[in-house]
Structures are given as C-alpha cells and as structure tokens.
Amino acid sequence: MAFWVMVAGLVAFSGFRHDTGTDFPLYETLLEQLDPTQAWWPQMVASPQDPGFTLLSLICLSISSDVQLVMIVSAVLTVTPMCLALRYSSKTLWFSMLLYVLLAGYLFPMNLVRQGIAVALNFYAWRYLDSHRERFLLINAVASLFHLSALVAAALQYVLRNIRPGRMFYTTVAVIAAAGIAILALPVDSLLAGNDSRYLEYLETARKNALDIGVGTIATIVFRLGTLVYTGSARSNTGEHRRFQVFATATLPFLCVGVFVSAVARMELYFASALLILLPRVAVSRQPRMLHITGIVMAASVYFVATLLSFYDLLPYQIWVPSPTDPWFAGW
C-alpha cells in the first residue's frame, strides 16, 4: 500500500504541473494542432512527434481538449514502470526511489516527455534480458513508438548484458569517449559551411551554445565518475551487479560526446538507471552503513539542487487546479 501511495504522489506532482518546464509550451502548441474528430492515421504520419505519443495525444484529446490530460497520462506511463522496475530489482526500495528523485531521473521527463516514457519502458524491460527475451524486444518496440532512440539503447544493452567490467572494457569505453571528443572538437565549421558566411556564423553559434550546455554535462561526468569508482570498488561477483556496473559505465561515452552534441548526451538516460540499484546495494553492504547512506544522500541532494537550478526550468513550479470552465470538463 505504501508503495502505491508513493507512486501516486510522484505521478500527481509530475502530471499536475502546468506551464512548468522548458518544453511545456512546445507540447501545448503541438497538441493544439491535433484534431481527434478527423482521421487519425494521416495526423500520425504528418505529426513531428513520434507515432506512439501522437496516438496517445489523440486518445486523450478525444476525451478532453485540455492538454493537461496528456500530461497526467504521460506521468503515469513514466513513473509507474520506473517504480515497478525498482521494486523488482532493488533490495532497499525506499533508498532507490529516493535516488530516483535526487539523481534527476524523476525530473527530466517533465521536459523530455516522450523520451521519459521510452526510458521508463526500457528500464522496466531489463528484467527480461536473461529470460523471456521476446518480452524485452516487445516492450522496447513499444518504447520506440514514443522515442526511436529506445531501439538503439535496447540493442546496446543486449550486447553489453554479459560483458564483465574488466580492464579491457574500461579501456574500450575510454577510447570510444576520447575518439568522439576528438572528432567533434575538430575545427570543421569552415569545411561544412564552405564559402557561405551565413552558414559559418550559424555553425559557430551552434557550437558555442552546445559548449555552454556542455558545462553542465562536464559536471555530470565528474559526478558520474565518482559514483562509478564507488560502486566499482565493491567486491561483488553477482552477474547482476556486473551488468549494472557495465550499464552505468556505458553512460560516459554518451556524456563525453554530449559536451558537443547535447542530443547524444540524452542517450545516457537509458543506462543511468542502473545507479538507482547499484548505489543502494553498495551502501548498505558497507560499514558503517549509516555513514555510507548519509554520504550518498547528501551528494545526490547537491546534484539534485544543482540540476534543478540549472536545467529544466521547473522553478517556479505551477500546479494545475481544475475549474468547471476548463476544457477538461467538456463533454462530461
């Protein structure tokens, strides 16, 4: 019962936000272009959004023309699979759910709504990596309808599922990350732009904006390296621990390349969920236990505050309060 109360609270806080977050006005505008009274398939084909999210939007808009219903249903599809996956894999559920919030896994879907749903479904599917692999494929196929990147993440996870986190693996990760940085750091703007000064100016501006965003990504890399050293120093021979360590380490190449291309950094979201299980397991296995738990919570709290103040534009938080004049009640 307590579990579902926590889930309901997380769903409500996310789903009932209104005009909060950098992407909320964008989704509002896009949803206003959909008409559930017209044929759905042509709208799904023409929509700039993924077909699964467009279909979900049309279903919700056929019930109420208020965009808020889409946000509430999206929150259910994001929070519920994440929490169910944590309940399945975590031995200290309260700790994992706390880190789910503090490590910003709960925050990012308030902006990246479609990818948030895809990441949650992908994380839920991890339980089927060893058995019932057809379910792993099916769930990720559904996730890809909300964000195509889920297929790339699922393929990588399937390849990495039995890799041992040894020296060769860490060296490979470092080489891939360094190669990505080296390629993207090259001064290729003039080559891409040719002799057109307009394109050259555009590329230079884009690179500058990417580097501005990359400062936060670099901070995330530093924090991630610290957590990986902590979890990697734990002496555990279980295959599950090794898999989660490999998945968590796989975030680094995406983050390193993401310093220059922010969209690539978002791929790490599919792998970072491993820390929600790894960190609590390592903390409760060490002595003094309370000291380790307190240290992780304090570090995660600093990360949470820094993320909240720097990204997502979630402050000030505004809550949606329905009234009889809202489109929500139309047709009821």
Side-chain angles (χ1 to χ4, degrees):
M1 183 63 181
F3 169 77
W4 289 110
V5 170
M6 289 189 291
V7 172
L10 292 171
V11 167
F13 189 82
S14 175
F16 282 82
R17 72 191 186 280
H18 182 73
D19 201 20
T20 300
T22 54
D23 287 0
F24 192 96
L26 171 64
Y27 282 108
E28 216 169 18
T29 301
L30 291 171
L31 291 172
E32 287 173 356
Q33 299 172 2
L34 298 176
D35 185 355
T37 64
Q38 302 298 319
W40 287 13
W41 179 251
Q43 296 184 76
M44 292 173 62
V45 172
S47 174
Q49 305 298 306
D50 297 88
F53 187 77
T54 303
L55 177 60
L56 173 67
S57 301
L58 286 167
I59 293 173
C60 292
L61 291 172
S62 67
I63 299 173
S64 169
S65 59
D66 196 321
V67 66
Q68 201 65 48
L69 180 59
V70 178
M71 295 302 170
I72 294 172
V73 175
S74 296
V76 172
L77 294 176
T78 301
V79 173
T80 306
M82 286 293 298
C83 292
L84 287 174
L86 290 176
R87 187 171 70 167
Y88 177 82
S89 298
S90 178
K91 297 178 181 178
T92 49
L93 181 59
W94 69 270
F95 199 176
S96 292
M97 291 189 69
L98 178 61
L99 292 180
Y100 170 46
V101 175
L102 295 181
L103 295 182
Y106 174 67
L107 292 181
F108 88 81
M110 295 189 190
N111 275 331
L112 308 175
V113 177
R114 294 173 295 117
Q115 193 167 13
I117 296 174
V119 168
L121 292 174
N122 170 264
F123 184 42
Y124 180 82
W126 286 10
R127 66 178 69 188
Y128 301 121
L129 273 168
D130 293 318
S131 60
H132 303 292
R133 292 173 186 168
E134 69 282 356
R135 297 182 186 179
F136 176 78
L137 296 174
L138 178 61
I139 294 172
N140 279 290
V142 174
S144 71
L145 296 177
F146 290 91
H147 209 280
L148 195 58
S149 60
L151 289 181
V152 178
L156 287 173
Q157 288 163 0
Y158 190 80
V159 171
L160 295 173
R161 71 190 190 283
N162 292 325
I163 298 292
R164 300 180 71 89
R167 182 178 300 176
M168 179 62 70
F169 170 72
Y170 291 124
T171 302
T172 303
V173 169
V175 169
I176 293 173
I181 292 174
I183 293 172
L184 292 171
L186 291 174
V188 296
D189 293 348
S190 57
L191 178 63
L192 294 174
N195 296 320
D196 196 323
S197 59
R198 294 173 302 172
Y199 289 113
L200 181 59
E201 182 180 355
Y202 169 78
L203 289 170
E204 288 176 346
T205 302
R207 182 179 290 274
K208 180 181 183 299
N209 291 338
L211 289 174
D212 289 341
I213 297 172
V215 172
T217 306
I218 292 172
T220 302
I221 292 172
V222 174
F223 180 81
R224 189 62 47 77
L225 283 171
T227 58
L228 288 172
V229 170
Y230 178 77
T231 57
S233 63
R235 298 191 178 277
S236 176
N237 294 319
T238 66
E240 192 177 42
H241 182 97
R242 292 195 297 267
R243 175 178 297 168
F244 290 149
Q245 182 72 17
V246 167
F247 282 6
T249 306
T251 63
L252 292 176
F254 295 117
L255 287 170
C256 290
V257 175
V259 172
F260 299 94
V261 184
S262 58
V264 175
R266 297 173 185 171
M267 283 298 299
E268 69 98 16
L269 298 170
Y270 289 100
F271 299 85
S273 300
L275 290 172
L276 306 181
I277 302 168
L278 270 179
L279 285 170
R281 284 189 181 183
V282 174
V284 300
S285 68
R286 293 183 167 176
Q287 297 296 332
R289 179 184 301 180
M290 189 52 62
L291 178 62
H292 284 272
I293 292 175
T294 303
I296 289 175
V297 171
M298 290 179 64
S301 298
V302 171
Y303 182 85
F304 174 81
V305 172
T307 302
L308 189 61
L309 294 177
S310 304
F311 302 103
Y312 304 132
D313 197 24
L314 297 176
L315 296 176
Y317 175 87
Q318 300 180 62
I319 190 170
W320 173 72
V321 179
S323 69
T325 60
D326 286 338
W328 172 276
F329 294 98
W332 288 65

